[in-house]
Amino acid sequence: MPWPIGIAIFLATVLAMEGVAYAAHRWVMHGPGWFLHASHHRPREGHWELNDLYAAIFAIPSIVLLLGGVQLGWWPGFTWIGAGIAAYGAIYFGFHDVIVHQRLPHRYVARWRYIKRIVQAQRIHHAFEAKHGAVSYGFLWAPRPAALKAELKRRERAGVRAPKT
Ligand SMILES: [Zn+2]
Ligand SMILES: [Zn+2]
């Protein structure tokens, strides 16, 4: 496979992974997978949280595709897709775990507008520490913080009006 096509597949995979991560976060982690993700919406005790298992789960397709593409003679595109998934994982770790949640000590202060925006969006996601009713499920793409705050307010108001059960 010509490498420019490989690179294009790689980049498309990184972008597509944001969609996969959004969907997984919204409908799996805040759905049937909440029993693992809940640990991420509570203060962490120690170095690990159950939610970290998702990183291991997401690594499986990447490892399988890389193994197939590199070692087992599968279609070479799979190598690039596997590498794209791994790259997304690395970017995700750097942004979400290091910059937002400071799991590695650092003094980086976000100055670039884009980084500020996605950091704020993730904080707003954590403002709602429950399975249902959260906003902002993306990681590398996020709406403006003002829009997210307005949405949270709207839900609060809706919640106040809701009949108590
Ligand atoms: Zn969440
Ligand atoms: Zn988070």
Side-chain angles (χ1 to χ4, degrees):
M1 168 174 292
W3 64 265
I5 295 180
I7 301 272
I9 294 175
F10 170 82
L11 292 176
T13 303
V14 174
L15 291 181
M17 277 305 292
E18 172 66 10
V20 173
Y22 177 97
H25 188 197
R26 180 160 188 178
W27 290 295
V28 179
M29 294 154 94
H30 280 260
W34 177 248
F35 69 104
L36 292 178
H37 188 56
S39 62
H40 185 60
H41 282 267
R42 282 195 298 261
R44 187 177 340 109
E45 295 154 27
H47 288 296
W48 301 96
E49 46 196 53
L50 264 180
N51 184 60
D52 292 331
L53 282 175
Y54 279 115
I57 293 167
F58 279 120
I60 295 170
S62 172
I63 293 167
V64 170
L65 290 171
L66 283 169
L67 183 74
V70 174
Q71 290 285 336
L72 307 177
W74 295 2
W75 176 59
F78 285 136
T79 307
W80 293 100
I81 295 172
I85 297 173
Y88 182 84
I91 297 167
Y92 175 94
F93 177 79
F95 158 66
H96 177 256
D97 291 275
V98 179
I99 295 181
V100 176
H101 294 299
Q102 312 214 335
R103 293 181 76 176
L104 298 177
H106 66 81
R107 291 192 190 168
Y108 170 77
V109 179
R111 289 209 180 79
W112 189 24
R113 260 227 310 243
Y114 164 71
I115 299 284
K116 274 192 195 163
R117 175 167 163 163
I118 56 177
V119 167
Q120 249 196 313
Q122 182 61 208
R123 297 237 162 93
I124 291 172
H125 174 72
H126 279 280
F128 204 95
E129 306 288 19
K131 180 175 175 182
H132 298 294
V135 293
S136 181
Y137 292 93
F139 297 100
L140 303 184
W141 178 86
R144 284 179 304 111
L148 291 171
K149 283 183 189 153
E151 173 64 18
L152 266 183
K153 278 233 174 68
R154 196 185 62 73
R155 286 187 197 189
E156 254 168 49
R157 277 200 303 270
V160 170
R161 272 202 304 267
K164 291 222 159 66
T165 45

